[in-house]
């Protein structure tokens, strides 16, 4: 209080005593008058012999509660079978207890919300969430085919937990789970489920989250139609599978979740594949592959047989023999042409030699003639070309003679 007084003294206004603040709060709350309040009963306290009953009323969508006092007769007349977790509407006046600084409600009428009204409210909330796009199929994510680790949110030692774990491990023995046990009905269910959802969504090793609960009445499944829970699921980065109740149960969580499973057992079938079925499918695929490869090999083998049966491949030497025969014929033709050309050229040469011999000086000499040459080699054709005493060379057909001009 000293700190408050010091701050107050530094301002222009005088500090208020606590009693004054309490009185002003009480006066302001008193002006609220009587109001209708909607909430969920978290606790009922009936003291034996006492006419006053104490209720703890909780807001279904927020972590907030108020104490409600009422007369036993009011409770018995308005909601005689009231139980914890029930939804109620009450007519009450807010009261501020100055001595303790606490706020409570004093109710003079209590009504337990009926099934029809609950369904109407759920339908209104459903339309609101649908209009905001929380049910949009385009944003729903497909869980991985084979998740390495699965987050499970369910009640402790519940049949839903047993169904999910047992069936999932039966289908794929190597699957791993991280289970977070929470309350699945009552006033504490929604905050516990939201907290567990945040923990699992922050875990990088979790590939998919399953929220599972067994069957129950509409009142029992109300937490899974809570607006805060629906928005928390919508904001998850990890795919969420809703496995609430039985086939006919459709809480709002089913519409927001990425995958809706009709039962916890169905959730196990949707999140992991069946090992036996996958082995069977692999066997079928291998059989189809083997048949396809066998057909391909047979078809190509048949094509090779057809190619091999062709004459050019059945007797490849035939082609070589044909080409050898063609080469032999060409060679013979070449030889004939060459012989003819050589014979013609030889005949021409003989004729040319004959003409050369006929015109050759040696042929003239053979007929008895001689060639007279001076010493310088000049052929003497007239007597006047030499003088007396000039040496001469006389060429005969065979040999030659030396002579001198003597007249």
């Amino acid at each position: 209080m000293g700190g408050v007084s010091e701050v107050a003294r530094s301002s222009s206004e005088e500090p208020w005593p606590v009693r004054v603040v309490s009185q002003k709060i009480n006066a302001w709350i008193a002006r609220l008058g009587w109001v209708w309040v909607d909430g969920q009963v978290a606790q009922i306290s009936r003291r034996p012999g006492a006419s006053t009953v104490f209720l703890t009323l909780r807001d279904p969508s927020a972590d907030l509660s108020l104490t409600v006092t009422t007369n036993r007769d009011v409770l018995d007349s308005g909601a005689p079978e009231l139980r914890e977790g029930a939804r109620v509407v009450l007519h009450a006046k807010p009261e501020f207890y100055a001595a303790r600084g606490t706020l409570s409600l004093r109710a003079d009428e209590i009504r337990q919300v009926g099934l029809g009204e609950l369904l109407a409210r759920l339908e209104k909330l459903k339309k609101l969430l649908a209009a905001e796009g929380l049910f949009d199929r385009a944003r729903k994510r497909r869980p991985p085919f084979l998740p390495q680790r699965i987050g499970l949110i369910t009640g402790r030692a519940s049949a839903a937990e047993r169904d999910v774990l047992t069936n999932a491990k039966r289908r794929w023995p190597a699957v791993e789970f991280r289970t977070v046990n929470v309350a699945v009905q009552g006033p504490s269910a929604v905050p516990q489920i939201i907290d567990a959802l945040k923990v699992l969504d922050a875990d990088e090793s979790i590939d998919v989250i399953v929220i599972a609960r067994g069957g129950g009445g509409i009142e029992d499944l109300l937490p899974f139609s809570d607006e805060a829970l629906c928005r928390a699921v919508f904001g998850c980065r990890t795919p969420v599978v809703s496995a609430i109740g039985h086939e006919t149960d459709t809480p709002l969580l089913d519409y927001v979740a990425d995958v809706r499973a009709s039962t916890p057992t169905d959730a196990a079938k949707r999140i992991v594949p069946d090992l036996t079925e996958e082995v069977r499918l692999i066997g079928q695929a291998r059989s189809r592959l083997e048949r396809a490869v066998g057909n391909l090999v047979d078809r190509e083998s048949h094509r090779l047989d057809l190619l091999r049966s062709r004459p050019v491949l059945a007797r490849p030497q035939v082609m070589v023999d044909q080409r050898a025969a063609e080469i032999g014929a060409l060679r013979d033709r070449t030889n004939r042409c060459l012989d003819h050309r050589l014979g013609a050229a030889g005949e021409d040469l003989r004729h040319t030699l004959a003409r050369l011999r006929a015109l050759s000086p040696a042929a003239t000499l053979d007929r008895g003639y001689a060639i007279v040459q001076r010493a310088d080699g000049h052929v003497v054709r007239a007597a006047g070309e030499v003088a007396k005493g000039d040496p001469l060379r006389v060429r005969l057909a065979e040999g030659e003679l030396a002579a001198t001009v003597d007249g």
Side-chain angles (χ1 to χ4, degrees), residues 332-351:
D332 294 341
R333 181 180 177 185
T334 301
N335 290 336
R336 288 195 301 272
C337 291
L338 184 59
D339 290 344
H340 176 71
R341 287 178 177 271
L342 290 176
E347 188 66 25
D348 291 342
L349 182 59
R350 284 192 295 272
H351 291 164

Side-chain angles (χ1 to χ4, degrees), residues 37-108:
V37 182
D38 173 23
Q40 189 174 27
V41 178
Q43 185 178 2
I44 303 176
S45 177
R46 293 185 177 92
R47 298 177 182 176
S51 61
T52 302
V53 178
F54 296 92
L55 305 177
T56 299
L57 193 66
R58 181 184 176 278
D59 189 317
S61 302
D63 190 11
L64 180 66
S65 61
L66 285 175
T67 300
V68 180
T69 60
T70 187
N71 190 277
R72 182 183 294 271
D73 295 336
V74 172
L75 182 62
D76 292 341
S77 62
E81 302 296 330
L82 187 64
R83 297 287 184 272
E84 293 179 355
R87 197 76 172 262
V88 295
V89 174
L90 51 85
H91 188 247
K93 187 178 187 303
E95 293 182 342
F96 184 74
Y97 187 49
R100 296 182 180 177
T102 58
L103 177 66
S104 64
L105 299 174
R106 178 166 54 87
D108 64 353

